Amino acid sequence: MFGTVVVGVGIAGLARIRDLMNPMPSSPSEHLKLFGFVSRRSFGNINEAKQISLEDALRNKDIHAAFISTENRSHEETIRMFLEAGKHVLVEYPMSLSAKAAHELWEMAEQKGKILHVEHIELLTEEYKQLKKEVAGKDLVKGTLHFTGHVLDENKSGFPAFSGIARLTWLIDLFGDLTVTSATREKQKDKNYSRMTVHFQTANK
């Protein structure tokens, strides 16, 4: 069995715990053993998974991999700690708040002989796969991608572009490299409202 730990118990972390505790029959997950989860908050147990300290997760030789599901800003530091401890790492997208840090982390994983995998789960959904089939072989003339969500804490999630960067990856995956031609941001603090509008061009303009 391959020992794992989940770091962070937000929506993604709780889904990880659920799936590790109840793996699909005959799936690779059956070979993973969840030793526990790490959180700054005190929970005790969640679905029979026990809470362990970060120090225990880093020291435990039976834990081979960490699933990191914390806020964006803490990804880089947490990845470094687990790679230093000799663990494989799976982290929710985005891996870090800068490309420079991401390259450093990949180099570190390579030096340590460990796998560092960034998972963008939306690209694996049936809805997205269908969308990809629909645009295959077609030329993009013009299009709009609009999405909404609650206002995020920038100290934890990073600049607003990082709140939406997962959706931007859709566009790059569907239409190739993009160039930013303009970007604006509107804020209404009294209404707790923020909007970012970005215009891109594909390689063929």
Side-chain angles (χ1 to χ4, degrees), residues 107-141:
E107 285 172 15
M108 184 179 178
E110 197 170 332
Q111 289 165 3
K112 297 276 184 185
K114 298 299 169 186
I115 293 169
L116 171 55
H117 175 71
V118 187
E119 184 159 281
H120 188 348
I121 199 136
E122 288 178 350
L123 300 185
L124 305 175
T125 62
E126 291 307 316
E127 293 87 351
Y128 182 80
K129 289 176 184 175
Q130 183 59 38
L131 176 61
K132 194 160 185 177
K133 280 181 189 172
E134 287 175 16
V135 303
K138 295 178 182 173
D139 289 326
L140 176 67
V141 178

PDB file of all heavy atoms in Angstrom, residues 107-141:
ATOM      1  N   GLU A 107      12.181  21.516 -10.648  1.00  0.00           N
ATOM      2  CA  GLU A 107      13.601  21.158 -10.606  1.00  0.00           C
ATOM      3  C   GLU A 107      13.936  20.451  -9.300  1.00  0.00           C
ATOM      4  O   GLU A 107      14.686  19.473  -9.270  1.00  0.00           O
ATOM      5  CB  GLU A 107      14.466  22.412 -10.771  1.00  0.00           C
ATOM      6  CG  GLU A 107      14.503  22.936 -12.197  1.00  0.00           C
ATOM      7  CD  GLU A 107      15.191  24.285 -12.308  1.00  0.00           C
ATOM      8  OE1 GLU A 107      15.886  24.685 -11.343  1.00  0.00           O
ATOM      9  OE2 GLU A 107      15.038  24.933 -13.348  1.00  0.00           O
ATOM     10  N   MET A 108      13.362  20.955  -8.207  1.00  0.00           N
ATOM     11  CA  MET A 108      13.581  20.357  -6.891  1.00  0.00           C
ATOM     12  C   MET A 108      13.062  18.918  -6.864  1.00  0.00           C
ATOM     13  O   MET A 108      13.731  18.008  -6.362  1.00  0.00           O
ATOM     14  CB  MET A 108      12.883  21.200  -5.825  1.00  0.00           C
ATOM     15  CG  MET A 108      13.106  20.745  -4.410  1.00  0.00           C
ATOM     16  SD  MET A 108      12.249  21.862  -3.259  1.00  0.00           S
ATOM     17  CE  MET A 108      12.625  21.042  -1.712  1.00  0.00           C
ATOM     18  N   ALA A 109      11.869  18.703  -7.412  1.00  0.00           N
ATOM     19  CA  ALA A 109      11.287  17.355  -7.450  1.00  0.00           C
ATOM     20  C   ALA A 109      12.178  16.418  -8.263  1.00  0.00           C
ATOM     21  O   ALA A 109      12.413  15.268  -7.866  1.00  0.00           O
ATOM     22  CB  ALA A 109       9.877  17.406  -8.043  1.00  0.00           C
ATOM     23  N   GLU A 110      12.692  16.916  -9.378  1.00  0.00           N
ATOM     24  CA  GLU A 110      13.562  16.099 -10.228  1.00  0.00           C
ATOM     25  C   GLU A 110      14.837  15.714  -9.483  1.00  0.00           C
ATOM     26  O   GLU A 110      15.281  14.567  -9.533  1.00  0.00           O
ATOM     27  CB  GLU A 110      13.894  16.879 -11.505  1.00  0.00           C
ATOM     28  CG  GLU A 110      14.422  15.997 -12.617  1.00  0.00           C
ATOM     29  CD  GLU A 110      14.512  16.722 -13.946  1.00  0.00           C
ATOM     30  OE1 GLU A 110      13.727  17.660 -14.177  1.00  0.00           O
ATOM     31  OE2 GLU A 110      15.377  16.335 -14.742  1.00  0.00           O
ATOM     32  N   GLN A 111      15.425  16.685  -8.770  1.00  0.00           N
ATOM     33  CA  GLN A 111      16.644  16.421  -8.005  1.00  0.00           C
ATOM     34  C   GLN A 111      16.404  15.392  -6.904  1.00  0.00           C
ATOM     35  O   GLN A 111      17.271  14.572  -6.602  1.00  0.00           O
ATOM     36  CB  GLN A 111      17.181  17.720  -7.386  1.00  0.00           C
ATOM     37  CG  GLN A 111      17.770  18.680  -8.411  1.00  0.00           C
ATOM     38  CD  GLN A 111      17.954  20.087  -7.860  1.00  0.00           C
ATOM     39  OE1 GLN A 111      17.697  20.348  -6.682  1.00  0.00           O
ATOM     40  NE2 GLN A 111      18.387  21.007  -8.706  1.00  0.00           N
ATOM     41  N   LYS A 112      15.208  15.448  -6.321  1.00  0.00           N
ATOM     42  CA  LYS A 112      14.872  14.528  -5.223  1.00  0.00           C
ATOM     43  C   LYS A 112      14.397  13.172  -5.737  1.00  0.00           C
ATOM     44  O   LYS A 112      14.198  12.233  -4.964  1.00  0.00           O
ATOM     45  CB  LYS A 112      13.761  15.131  -4.348  1.00  0.00           C
ATOM     46  CG  LYS A 112      14.149  16.425  -3.646  1.00  0.00           C
ATOM     47  CD  LYS A 112      14.881  16.149  -2.368  1.00  0.00           C
ATOM     48  CE  LYS A 112      15.178  17.424  -1.605  1.00  0.00           C
ATOM     49  NZ  LYS A 112      16.004  17.150  -0.416  1.00  0.00           N
ATOM     50  N   GLY A 113      14.162  13.085  -7.053  1.00  0.00           N
ATOM     51  CA  GLY A 113      13.639  11.840  -7.623  1.00  0.00           C
ATOM     52  C   GLY A 113      12.196  11.586  -7.235  1.00  0.00           C
ATOM     53  O   GLY A 113      11.766  10.437  -7.092  1.00  0.00           O
ATOM     54  N   LYS A 114      11.423  12.685  -7.086  1.00  0.00           N
ATOM     55  CA  LYS A 114      10.024  12.570  -6.669  1.00  0.00           C
ATOM     56  C   LYS A 114       9.100  13.124  -7.747  1.00  0.00           C
ATOM     57  O   LYS A 114       9.480  13.950  -8.563  1.00  0.00           O
ATOM     58  CB  LYS A 114       9.788  13.332  -5.352  1.00  0.00           C
ATOM     59  CG  LYS A 114      10.598  12.788  -4.183  1.00  0.00           C
ATOM     60  CD  LYS A 114      10.252  11.348  -3.882  1.00  0.00           C
ATOM     61  CE  LYS A 114      11.220  10.707  -2.911  1.00  0.00           C
ATOM     62  NZ  LYS A 114      10.949   9.277  -2.745  1.00  0.00           N
ATOM     63  N   ILE A 115       7.858  12.655  -7.728  1.00  0.00           N
ATOM     64  CA  ILE A 115       6.850  13.143  -8.673  1.00  0.00           C
ATOM     65  C   ILE A 115       6.160  14.361  -8.069  1.00  0.00           C
ATOM     66  O   ILE A 115       5.710  14.327  -6.921  1.00  0.00           O
ATOM     67  CB  ILE A 115       5.811  12.045  -8.972  1.00  0.00           C
ATOM     68  CG1 ILE A 115       6.469  10.892  -9.732  1.00  0.00           C
ATOM     69  CG2 ILE A 115       4.638  12.616  -9.774  1.00  0.00           C
ATOM     70  CD1 ILE A 115       5.604   9.665  -9.851  1.00  0.00           C
ATOM     71  N   LEU A 116       6.083  15.431  -8.857  1.00  0.00           N
ATOM     72  CA  LEU A 116       5.306  16.607  -8.494  1.00  0.00           C
ATOM     73  C   LEU A 116       4.260  16.771  -9.593  1.00  0.00           C
ATOM     74  O   LEU A 116       4.590  17.058 -10.738  1.00  0.00           O
ATOM     75  CB  LEU A 116       6.200  17.845  -8.402  1.00  0.00           C
ATOM     76  CG  LEU A 116       5.486  19.195  -8.244  1.00  0.00           C
ATOM     77  CD1 LEU A 116       4.536  19.190  -7.050  1.00  0.00           C
ATOM     78  CD2 LEU A 116       6.507  20.320  -8.126  1.00  0.00           C
ATOM     79  N   HIS A 117       3.002  16.527  -9.237  1.00  0.00           N
ATOM     80  CA  HIS A 117       1.914  16.526 -10.221  1.00  0.00           C
ATOM     81  C   HIS A 117       0.913  17.620  -9.878  1.00  0.00           C
ATOM     82  O   HIS A 117       0.452  17.711  -8.742  1.00  0.00           O
ATOM     83  CB  HIS A 117       1.216  15.168 -10.223  1.00  0.00           C
ATOM     84  CG  HIS A 117       0.010  15.111 -11.114  1.00  0.00           C
ATOM     85  ND1 HIS A 117       0.097  15.111 -12.485  1.00  0.00           N
ATOM     86  CD2 HIS A 117      -1.313  15.066 -10.817  1.00  0.00           C
ATOM     87  CE1 HIS A 117      -1.128  15.061 -13.001  1.00  0.00           C
ATOM     88  NE2 HIS A 117      -1.995  15.036 -12.013  1.00  0.00           N
ATOM     89  N   VAL A 118       0.592  18.445 -10.872  1.00  0.00           N
ATOM     90  CA  VAL A 118      -0.413  19.486 -10.694  1.00  0.00           C
ATOM     91  C   VAL A 118      -1.699  18.991 -11.326  1.00  0.00           C
ATOM     92  O   VAL A 118      -1.711  18.634 -12.505  1.00  0.00           O
ATOM     93  CB  VAL A 118       0.015  20.804 -11.374  1.00  0.00           C
ATOM     94  CG1 VAL A 118      -0.959  21.917 -11.017  1.00  0.00           C
ATOM     95  CG2 VAL A 118       1.418  21.183 -10.968  1.00  0.00           C
ATOM     96  N   GLU A 119      -2.758  18.962 -10.554  1.00  0.00           N
ATOM     97  CA  GLU A 119      -4.013  18.438 -11.076  1.00  0.00           C
ATOM     98  C   GLU A 119      -5.023  19.553 -11.310  1.00  0.00           C
ATOM     99  O   GLU A 119      -5.322  20.330 -10.411  1.00  0.00           O
ATOM    100  CB  GLU A 119      -4.620  17.412 -10.114  1.00  0.00           C
ATOM    101  CG  GLU A 119      -5.887  16.785 -10.684  1.00  0.00           C
ATOM    102  CD  GLU A 119      -6.214  15.472 -10.037  1.00  0.00           C
ATOM    103  OE1 GLU A 119      -5.577  14.475 -10.408  1.00  0.00           O
ATOM    104  OE2 GLU A 119      -7.077  15.453  -9.159  1.00  0.00           O
ATOM    105  N   HIS A 120      -5.492  19.621 -12.541  1.00  0.00           N
ATOM    106  CA  HIS A 120      -6.544  20.566 -12.909  1.00  0.00           C
ATOM    107  C   HIS A 120      -7.767  19.717 -13.229  1.00  0.00           C
ATOM    108  O   HIS A 120      -8.008  19.339 -14.371  1.00  0.00           O
ATOM    109  CB  HIS A 120      -6.086  21.368 -14.124  1.00  0.00           C
ATOM    110  CG  HIS A 120      -7.002  22.506 -14.466  1.00  0.00           C
ATOM    111  ND1 HIS A 120      -8.254  22.661 -13.914  1.00  0.00           N
ATOM    112  CD2 HIS A 120      -6.835  23.562 -15.314  1.00  0.00           C
ATOM    113  CE1 HIS A 120      -8.819  23.738 -14.411  1.00  0.00           C
ATOM    114  NE2 HIS A 120      -7.982  24.298 -15.252  1.00  0.00           N
ATOM    115  N   ILE A 121      -8.532  19.398 -12.205  1.00  0.00           N
ATOM    116  CA  ILE A 121      -9.567  18.380 -12.309  1.00  0.00           C
ATOM    117  C   ILE A 121     -10.662  18.742 -13.310  1.00  0.00           C
ATOM    118  O   ILE A 121     -11.296  17.873 -13.902  1.00  0.00           O
ATOM    119  CB  ILE A 121     -10.147  18.055 -10.917  1.00  0.00           C
ATOM    120  CG1 ILE A 121     -10.864  16.706 -10.939  1.00  0.00           C
ATOM    121  CG2 ILE A 121     -11.056  19.148 -10.417  1.00  0.00           C
ATOM    122  CD1 ILE A 121     -10.583  15.839  -9.784  1.00  0.00           C
ATOM    123  N   GLU A 122     -10.880  20.055 -13.530  1.00  0.00           N
ATOM    124  CA  GLU A 122     -11.937  20.465 -14.464  1.00  0.00           C
ATOM    125  C   GLU A 122     -11.669  19.952 -15.883  1.00  0.00           C
ATOM    126  O   GLU A 122     -12.597  19.722 -16.651  1.00  0.00           O
ATOM    127  CB  GLU A 122     -12.055  21.992 -14.484  1.00  0.00           C
ATOM    128  CG  GLU A 122     -12.665  22.561 -13.214  1.00  0.00           C
ATOM    129  CD  GLU A 122     -12.721  24.075 -13.234  1.00  0.00           C
ATOM    130  OE1 GLU A 122     -12.117  24.684 -14.147  1.00  0.00           O
ATOM    131  OE2 GLU A 122     -13.358  24.649 -12.352  1.00  0.00           O
ATOM    132  N   LEU A 123     -10.392  19.782 -16.239  1.00  0.00           N
ATOM    133  CA  LEU A 123     -10.057  19.314 -17.584  1.00  0.00           C
ATOM    134  C   LEU A 123     -10.385  17.835 -17.774  1.00  0.00           C
ATOM    135  O   LEU A 123     -10.313  17.315 -18.885  1.00  0.00           O
ATOM    136  CB  LEU A 123      -8.574  19.548 -17.880  1.00  0.00           C
ATOM    137  CG  LEU A 123      -8.083  20.996 -17.830  1.00  0.00           C
ATOM    138  CD1 LEU A 123      -6.631  21.080 -18.258  1.00  0.00           C
ATOM    139  CD2 LEU A 123      -8.936  21.915 -18.702  1.00  0.00           C
ATOM    140  N   LEU A 124     -10.746  17.149 -16.676  1.00  0.00           N
ATOM    141  CA  LEU A 124     -11.055  15.724 -16.747  1.00  0.00           C
ATOM    142  C   LEU A 124     -12.554  15.444 -16.722  1.00  0.00           C
ATOM    143  O   LEU A 124     -12.970  14.301 -16.806  1.00  0.00           O
ATOM    144  CB  LEU A 124     -10.386  14.986 -15.571  1.00  0.00           C
ATOM    145  CG  LEU A 124      -8.867  15.174 -15.440  1.00  0.00           C
ATOM    146  CD1 LEU A 124      -8.363  14.490 -14.184  1.00  0.00           C
ATOM    147  CD2 LEU A 124      -8.148  14.646 -16.663  1.00  0.00           C
ATOM    148  N   THR A 125     -13.370  16.511 -16.598  1.00  0.00           N
ATOM    149  CA  THR A 125     -14.820  16.299 -16.500  1.00  0.00           C
ATOM    150  C   THR A 125     -15.420  15.973 -17.868  1.00  0.00           C
ATOM    151  O   THR A 125     -14.880  16.351 -18.905  1.00  0.00           O
ATOM    152  CB  THR A 125     -15.528  17.553 -15.941  1.00  0.00           C
ATOM    153  OG1 THR A 125     -15.316  18.638 -16.853  1.00  0.00           O
ATOM    154  CG2 THR A 125     -15.006  17.919 -14.559  1.00  0.00           C
ATOM    155  N   GLU A 126     -16.551  15.283 -17.856  1.00  0.00           N
ATOM    156  CA  GLU A 126     -17.228  14.922 -19.103  1.00  0.00           C
ATOM    157  C   GLU A 126     -17.690  16.171 -19.858  1.00  0.00           C
ATOM    158  O   GLU A 126     -17.649  16.217 -21.093  1.00  0.00           O
ATOM    159  CB  GLU A 126     -18.425  14.002 -18.817  1.00  0.00           C
ATOM    160  CG  GLU A 126     -18.026  12.609 -18.339  1.00  0.00           C
ATOM    161  CD  GLU A 126     -17.042  11.906 -19.267  1.00  0.00           C
ATOM    162  OE1 GLU A 126     -17.242  11.961 -20.499  1.00  0.00           O
ATOM    163  OE2 GLU A 126     -16.061  11.329 -18.766  1.00  0.00           O
ATOM    164  N   GLU A 127     -18.126  17.202 -19.101  1.00  0.00           N
ATOM    165  CA  GLU A 127     -18.593  18.432 -19.744  1.00  0.00           C
ATOM    166  C   GLU A 127     -17.457  19.087 -20.533  1.00  0.00           C
ATOM    167  O   GLU A 127     -17.649  19.547 -21.656  1.00  0.00           O
ATOM    168  CB  GLU A 127     -19.129  19.423 -18.694  1.00  0.00           C
ATOM    169  CG  GLU A 127     -20.395  18.974 -18.003  1.00  0.00           C
ATOM    170  CD  GLU A 127     -20.138  18.088 -16.782  1.00  0.00           C
ATOM    171  OE1 GLU A 127     -18.980  17.676 -16.557  1.00  0.00           O
ATOM    172  OE2 GLU A 127     -21.106  17.802 -16.070  1.00  0.00           O
ATOM    173  N   TYR A 128     -16.272  19.109 -19.931  1.00  0.00           N
ATOM    174  CA  TYR A 128     -15.147  19.741 -20.607  1.00  0.00           C
ATOM    175  C   TYR A 128     -14.707  18.911 -21.820  1.00  0.00           C
ATOM    176  O   TYR A 128     -14.401  19.455 -22.878  1.00  0.00           O
ATOM    177  CB  TYR A 128     -13.971  19.951 -19.654  1.00  0.00           C
ATOM    178  CG  TYR A 128     -12.835  20.654 -20.349  1.00  0.00           C
ATOM    179  CD1 TYR A 128     -12.867  22.030 -20.531  1.00  0.00           C
ATOM    180  CD2 TYR A 128     -11.767  19.943 -20.884  1.00  0.00           C
ATOM    181  CE1 TYR A 128     -11.856  22.687 -21.222  1.00  0.00           C
ATOM    182  CE2 TYR A 128     -10.757  20.588 -21.576  1.00  0.00           C
ATOM    183  CZ  TYR A 128     -10.803  21.959 -21.739  1.00  0.00           C
ATOM    184  OH  TYR A 128      -9.816  22.596 -22.429  1.00  0.00           O
ATOM    185  N   LYS A 129     -14.683  17.598 -21.658  1.00  0.00           N
ATOM    186  CA  LYS A 129     -14.300  16.738 -22.783  1.00  0.00           C
ATOM    187  C   LYS A 129     -15.252  16.944 -23.967  1.00  0.00           C
ATOM    188  O   LYS A 129     -14.835  16.951 -25.134  1.00  0.00           O
ATOM    189  CB  LYS A 129     -14.311  15.269 -22.348  1.00  0.00           C
ATOM    190  CG  LYS A 129     -13.177  14.900 -21.407  1.00  0.00           C
ATOM    191  CD  LYS A 129     -13.321  13.455 -20.951  1.00  0.00           C
ATOM    192  CE  LYS A 129     -12.261  13.090 -19.928  1.00  0.00           C
ATOM    193  NZ  LYS A 129     -12.455  11.729 -19.383  1.00  0.00           N
ATOM    194  N   GLN A 130     -16.541  17.134 -23.672  1.00  0.00           N
ATOM    195  CA  GLN A 130     -17.525  17.382 -24.721  1.00  0.00           C
ATOM    196  C   GLN A 130     -17.268  18.731 -25.399  1.00  0.00           C
ATOM    197  O   GLN A 130     -17.328  18.852 -26.625  1.00  0.00           O
ATOM    198  CB  GLN A 130     -18.945  17.353 -24.135  1.00  0.00           C
ATOM    199  CG  GLN A 130     -20.057  17.525 -25.154  1.00  0.00           C
ATOM    200  CD  GLN A 130     -20.037  16.451 -26.239  1.00  0.00           C
ATOM    201  OE1 GLN A 130     -19.744  15.286 -25.975  1.00  0.00           O
ATOM    202  NE2 GLN A 130     -20.321  16.856 -27.477  1.00  0.00           N
ATOM    203  N   LEU A 131     -16.950  19.738 -24.597  1.00  0.00           N
ATOM    204  CA  LEU A 131     -16.647  21.059 -25.140  1.00  0.00           C
ATOM    205  C   LEU A 131     -15.440  20.982 -26.073  1.00  0.00           C
ATOM    206  O   LEU A 131     -15.438  21.580 -27.157  1.00  0.00           O
ATOM    207  CB  LEU A 131     -16.358  22.033 -23.992  1.00  0.00           C
ATOM    208  CG  LEU A 131     -15.922  23.447 -24.379  1.00  0.00           C
ATOM    209  CD1 LEU A 131     -17.006  24.152 -25.186  1.00  0.00           C
ATOM    210  CD2 LEU A 131     -15.567  24.250 -23.141  1.00  0.00           C
ATOM    211  N   LYS A 132     -14.435  20.221 -25.682  1.00  0.00           N
ATOM    212  CA  LYS A 132     -13.225  20.090 -26.501  1.00  0.00           C
ATOM    213  C   LYS A 132     -13.555  19.431 -27.852  1.00  0.00           C
ATOM    214  O   LYS A 132     -13.023  19.818 -28.895  1.00  0.00           O
ATOM    215  CB  LYS A 132     -12.174  19.292 -25.741  1.00  0.00           C
ATOM    216  CG  LYS A 132     -10.800  19.395 -26.360  1.00  0.00           C
ATOM    217  CD  LYS A 132      -9.700  19.026 -25.393  1.00  0.00           C
ATOM    218  CE  LYS A 132      -8.347  19.268 -26.039  1.00  0.00           C
ATOM    219  NZ  LYS A 132      -7.230  19.006 -25.132  1.00  0.00           N
ATOM    220  N   LYS A 133     -14.440  18.440 -27.812  1.00  0.00           N
ATOM    221  CA  LYS A 133     -14.851  17.788 -29.068  1.00  0.00           C
ATOM    222  C   LYS A 133     -15.570  18.779 -29.981  1.00  0.00           C
ATOM    223  O   LYS A 133     -15.385  18.779 -31.198  1.00  0.00           O
ATOM    224  CB  LYS A 133     -15.800  16.615 -28.768  1.00  0.00           C
ATOM    225  CG  LYS A 133     -15.105  15.345 -28.318  1.00  0.00           C
ATOM    226  CD  LYS A 133     -16.139  14.251 -28.085  1.00  0.00           C
ATOM    227  CE  LYS A 133     -15.495  13.032 -27.419  1.00  0.00           C
ATOM    228  NZ  LYS A 133     -16.514  12.043 -27.010  1.00  0.00           N
ATOM    229  N   GLU A 134     -16.407  19.642 -29.388  1.00  0.00           N
ATOM    230  CA  GLU A 134     -17.214  20.573 -30.165  1.00  0.00           C
ATOM    231  C   GLU A 134     -16.365  21.625 -30.878  1.00  0.00           C
ATOM    232  O   GLU A 134     -16.724  22.084 -31.963  1.00  0.00           O
ATOM    233  CB  GLU A 134     -18.250  21.260 -29.265  1.00  0.00           C
ATOM    234  CG  GLU A 134     -19.384  20.330 -28.864  1.00  0.00           C
ATOM    235  CD  GLU A 134     -20.337  20.974 -27.867  1.00  0.00           C
ATOM    236  OE1 GLU A 134     -20.293  22.213 -27.724  1.00  0.00           O
ATOM    237  OE2 GLU A 134     -21.110  20.231 -27.231  1.00  0.00           O
ATOM    238  N   VAL A 135     -15.239  22.027 -30.286  1.00  0.00           N
ATOM    239  CA  VAL A 135     -14.424  23.084 -30.908  1.00  0.00           C
ATOM    240  C   VAL A 135     -13.309  22.511 -31.789  1.00  0.00           C
ATOM    241  O   VAL A 135     -12.667  23.254 -32.525  1.00  0.00           O
ATOM    242  CB  VAL A 135     -13.821  24.035 -29.850  1.00  0.00           C
ATOM    243  CG1 VAL A 135     -14.907  24.661 -29.003  1.00  0.00           C
ATOM    244  CG2 VAL A 135     -12.788  23.331 -28.996  1.00  0.00           C
ATOM    245  N   ALA A 136     -13.085  21.207 -31.731  1.00  0.00           N
ATOM    246  CA  ALA A 136     -12.002  20.590 -32.503  1.00  0.00           C
ATOM    247  C   ALA A 136     -12.166  20.878 -33.991  1.00  0.00           C
ATOM    248  O   ALA A 136     -13.246  20.708 -34.553  1.00  0.00           O
ATOM    249  CB  ALA A 136     -11.967  19.089 -32.253  1.00  0.00           C
ATOM    250  N   GLY A 137     -11.088  21.349 -34.623  1.00  0.00           N
ATOM    251  CA  GLY A 137     -11.099  21.595 -36.056  1.00  0.00           C
ATOM    252  C   GLY A 137     -11.780  22.886 -36.475  1.00  0.00           C
ATOM    253  O   GLY A 137     -11.876  23.187 -37.671  1.00  0.00           O
ATOM    254  N   LYS A 138     -12.277  23.651 -35.526  1.00  0.00           N
ATOM    255  CA  LYS A 138     -12.958  24.911 -35.852  1.00  0.00           C
ATOM    256  C   LYS A 138     -12.026  26.089 -35.578  1.00  0.00           C
ATOM    257  O   LYS A 138     -11.168  26.026 -34.705  1.00  0.00           O
ATOM    258  CB  LYS A 138     -14.236  25.061 -35.019  1.00  0.00           C
ATOM    259  CG  LYS A 138     -15.277  24.008 -35.337  1.00  0.00           C
ATOM    260  CD  LYS A 138     -16.497  24.162 -34.452  1.00  0.00           C
ATOM    261  CE  LYS A 138     -17.520  23.067 -34.753  1.00  0.00           C
ATOM    262  NZ  LYS A 138     -18.646  23.079 -33.806  1.00  0.00           N
ATOM    263  N   ASP A 139     -12.203  27.164 -36.336  1.00  0.00           N
ATOM    264  CA  ASP A 139     -11.430  28.388 -36.115  1.00  0.00           C
ATOM    265  C   ASP A 139     -12.199  29.298 -35.177  1.00  0.00           C
ATOM    266  O   ASP A 139     -13.383  29.585 -35.403  1.00  0.00           O
ATOM    267  CB  ASP A 139     -11.178  29.115 -37.445  1.00  0.00           C
ATOM    268  CG  ASP A 139     -10.188  28.357 -38.325  1.00  0.00           C
ATOM    269  OD1 ASP A 139      -9.266  27.741 -37.762  1.00  0.00           O
ATOM    270  OD2 ASP A 139     -10.357  28.380 -39.555  1.00  0.00           O
ATOM    271  N   LEU A 140     -11.518  29.784 -34.153  1.00  0.00           N
ATOM    272  CA  LEU A 140     -12.142  30.731 -33.232  1.00  0.00           C
ATOM    273  C   LEU A 140     -12.112  32.117 -33.860  1.00  0.00           C
ATOM    274  O   LEU A 140     -11.054  32.623 -34.227  1.00  0.00           O
ATOM    275  CB  LEU A 140     -11.383  30.745 -31.899  1.00  0.00           C
ATOM    276  CG  LEU A 140     -11.873  31.766 -30.881  1.00  0.00           C
ATOM    277  CD1 LEU A 140     -13.272  31.412 -30.389  1.00  0.00           C
ATOM    278  CD2 LEU A 140     -10.915  31.855 -29.701  1.00  0.00           C
ATOM    279  N   VAL A 141     -13.283  32.720 -34.020  1.00  0.00           N
ATOM    280  CA  VAL A 141     -13.369  34.083 -34.547  1.00  0.00           C
ATOM    281  C   VAL A 141     -13.470  35.057 -33.372  1.00  0.00           C
ATOM    282  O   VAL A 141     -12.722  36.020 -33.265  1.00  0.00           O
ATOM    283  CB  VAL A 141     -14.587  34.229 -35.488  1.00  0.00           C
ATOM    284  CG1 VAL A 141     -14.712  35.664 -35.994  1.00  0.00           C
ATOM    285  CG2 VAL A 141     -14.458  33.264 -36.661  1.00  0.00           C
TER     286      VAL A 141
END
